Amino acid sequence: MKIGITCYPTYGGSGVVATELGLALASMGHQVHFISYAMPHRLNQFYENIFFHEVEMSSYPLFEHSLYGLSLTSKMLEVFEFEDLDLMHVHYAIPHAVSAYLARQVLRKSKKNLKFITTLHGTDITLVGLEPSFMPLVKFSIEESDGVTAVSRFLKEKTLTNYNIEKDIEVIYNFIDVEKFKPQESEIFRKHIAPNGEKVLVHTSNFRVVKRVTDAIRVLAKVKKEIPTKLVLIGDGPDRSECERLARELDIHKDVIFLGKQDGLTEILNASDVFLMPSQSESFGLSALEAMACGIPVISSSVGGLPELNIHNETGYIAEIGDIDRMAKYAIELFTNEKRYNNFSKNARERAVKNFDKKLVLPKYVEYYEKILNS
Ligand code: GMT
């Protein structure tokens, strides 16, 4: 197949899923054309069967704001026609599904049939999409998509109920390369962050308010009172300054290590003991899955699709949003009960391998593509 993929090229989970999917499809012999405003960050070298088409942003004095959605449509039209694509797969509804819809309408005039699949990832449905100005457009673009997938049962249900949609939505969970994300020695890095044998909590995100990174800092403050512990924070975003301020206010700034955006995730995860995901909203939790695949138990909030990933008392613990006392209690429990820790660590890895290995999940996308193309 020849597939066009549109996604956000930055560090967010939807871009990661789209890029890993494209890479895997290319390795299976399919031709994959990424269409975005920048090269997705995981496409950092030459890959056979992968092509990148940058959306050109035209400027004109009248256009005070960029017309990204329209420029994207134009690029989709060009690539679809001249690369002879079979299908477009857009990740994150806004504005990608609307651009694809518009491209399909344009091509209909010349009797060409562009089919597109929309994958819903999270805040496109649970947050931004619910803004009154966006809602009708999100609903419309979902209803008009030739196929729709969601990354959890939770997200599927939310889409159907919040937008009053009656449509088949296929749940295809996030996936992981279990050969890349796996338990391995990371002693040098561990010595660097925890030189005196401290325990290590870790969190990865794009530091949006919805991730509640400040809760992770408050958890550390509590845990530290019982057990010497460090907190490693990976990523960057709007809430980072507030997190740095809070760490100083709580006088634990020496124990909070801000690493910023990082590519060497497996090494850092493997130097850690427990992954924290205190999110206020989370449709699946790809970064928690990355930790689990490395055998790192997860302490998460109970929101969204997290219970579909993290099994309470088996792969980690689940607490209510903002219940910092309980999250801290769970961390101390795992730090002091070695037998339980080892059990959870084994279960976390096993759950990642048995349920979310890319070898199991990718065929579901391919089957779905075939179903939509033949419908
Ligand atoms: O919806 C978002 O916040 C953006 C998206 C992204 O691009 O980072 O994240 C979502 O997609 C991931 C991949 O499918 C999921 O694992 C994340 O849970 C989800 N984030 C949220 O729902 C907050």
Side-chain angles (χ1 to χ4, degrees):
M1 276 182 268
K2 287 184 173 181
I3 305 142
I5 293 185
T6 285
C7 63
Y8 283 106
T10 44
Y11 277 75
S14 60
V16 171
V17 169
T19 312
E20 294 292 345
L21 173 62
L23 286 170
L25 289 167
S27 73
M28 291 160 77
H30 301 289
Q31 206 180 85
V32 179
H33 293 261
F34 281 92
I35 305 172
S36 187
Y37 62 82
M39 179 86 98
H41 85 275
R42 288 202 181 182
L43 287 189
N44 47 6
Q45 61 182 80
F46 171 77
Y47 293 98
E48 207 177 331
N49 293 329
I50 294 271
F51 301 85
F52 172 62
H53 307 264
E54 188 169 323
V55 177
E56 294 144 33
M57 301 297 300
S58 58
S59 68
Y60 186 70
L62 269 183
F63 304 160
E64 199 176 325
H65 302 286
S66 88
L67 303 180
Y68 182 63
L70 293 183
S71 303
L72 176 60
T73 302
S74 305
K75 189 53 86 178
M76 282 176 176
L77 284 169
E78 184 187 304
V79 178
F80 187 82
E81 194 156 6
F82 297 114
E83 299 295 345
D84 203 14
L85 299 186
D86 294 302
L87 185 74
M88 273 299 307
H89 186 176
V90 302
H91 293 258
Y92 206 86
I94 310 168
H96 303 153
V98 182
S99 297
Y101 166 79
L102 194 52
R104 188 179 68 191
Q105 292 307 101
V106 174
L107 286 163
R108 270 193 182 157
K109 285 265 175 212
S110 46
K111 305 260 180 301
K112 290 190 181 109
N113 190 12
L114 181 160
K115 286 195 168 178
F116 72 96
I117 291 172
T118 302
T119 288
L120 308 171
H121 281 273
T123 51
D124 45 353
I125 292 303
T126 57
L127 207 69
V128 199
L130 288 176
E131 283 179 19
S133 58
F134 278 137
M135 200 168 176
L137 211 46
V138 172
K139 176 176 160 67
F140 178 80
S141 62
I142 292 171
E143 284 171 337
E144 285 294 326
S145 300
D146 295 287
V148 181
T149 79
V151 298
S152 61
R153 288 199 308 272
F154 157 81
L155 194 61
K156 171 180 173 171
E157 289 312 315
K158 273 280 162 228
T159 309
L160 297 178
T161 51
N162 284 356
Y163 297 83
N164 192 19
I165 286 175
E166 279 178 30
K167 191 173 178 82
D168 266 350
I169 296 183
E170 186 86 3
V171 174
I172 305 184
Y173 285 120
N174 286 175
F175 56 87
I176 185 112
D177 182 344
V178 296
E179 305 302 329
K180 185 169 152 207
F181 286 88
K182 62 181 179 192
Q184 54 199 179
E185 280 296 297
S186 190
E187 269 318 298
I188 296 174
F189 189 72
R190 181 151 187 131
K191 280 225 167 71
H192 181 68
I193 48 175
N196 302 310
E198 296 93 337
K199 295 290 183 189
V200 179
L201 294 167
V202 64
H203 169 84
T204 320
S205 76
N206 38 20
F207 281 64
R208 283 169 299 164
V209 177
V210 78
K211 297 289 179 179
R212 293 183 72 103
V213 189
T214 47
D215 282 7
I217 294 171
R218 291 186 196 280
V219 168
L220 173 72
K222 294 217 176 268
V223 174
K224 244 180 65 70
K225 287 188 183 143
E226 309 278 327
I227 299 167
T229 304
K230 300 277 184 183
L231 169 64
V232 176
L233 294 174
I234 307 163
D236 214 326
D239 233 10
R240 171 151 173 193
S241 295
E242 171 55 17
C243 289
E244 297 203 25
R245 191 205 58 75
L246 180 67
R248 284 193 296 271
E249 182 189 301
L250 298 174
D251 198 22
I252 54 171
H253 52 284
K254 293 214 171 76
D255 297 310
V256 184
I257 301 150
F258 289 87
L259 291 178
K261 291 175 183 169
Q262 292 285 332
D263 286 330
L265 271 184
T266 49
E267 196 187 9
I268 305 166
L269 290 170
N270 272 294
S272 311
D273 298 302
V274 168
F275 187 90
L276 294 178
M277 184 166 255
S279 307
Q280 183 182 326
S281 168
E282 200 67 62
S283 64
F284 179 82
L286 179 61
S287 49
L289 173 59
E290 289 173 340
M292 284 167 62
C294 294
I296 310 298
V298 171
I299 297 175
S300 73
S301 59
S302 57
V303 299
L306 281 170
E308 292 172 58
L309 169 67
N310 183 25
I311 308 299
H312 184 68
N313 225 354
E314 200 179 303
T315 60
Y317 287 118
I318 292 183
E320 291 301 311
I321 307 176
D323 194 343
I324 287 150
D325 287 342
R326 190 163 287 268
M327 290 184 196
K329 186 179 146 261
Y330 285 148
I332 293 166
E333 161 96 33
L334 286 175
F335 289 166
T336 50
N337 187 336
E338 198 182 334
K339 191 166 166 230
R340 176 162 300 194
Y341 181 88
N342 289 338
N343 244 328
F344 280 23
S345 165
K346 184 170 91 22
N347 295 342
R349 168 74 186 166
E350 259 175 35
R351 181 156 176 76
V353 172
K354 283 198 185 138
N355 298 278
F356 307 108
D357 182 351
K358 74 175 188 183
K359 289 196 203 95
L360 301 172
V361 180
L362 284 167
K364 296 190 179 167
Y365 275 111
V366 176
E367 267 169 44
Y368 193 65
Y369 287 174
E370 281 162 359
K371 180 176 153 190
I372 296 303
L373 281 173
N374 295 324
S375 64

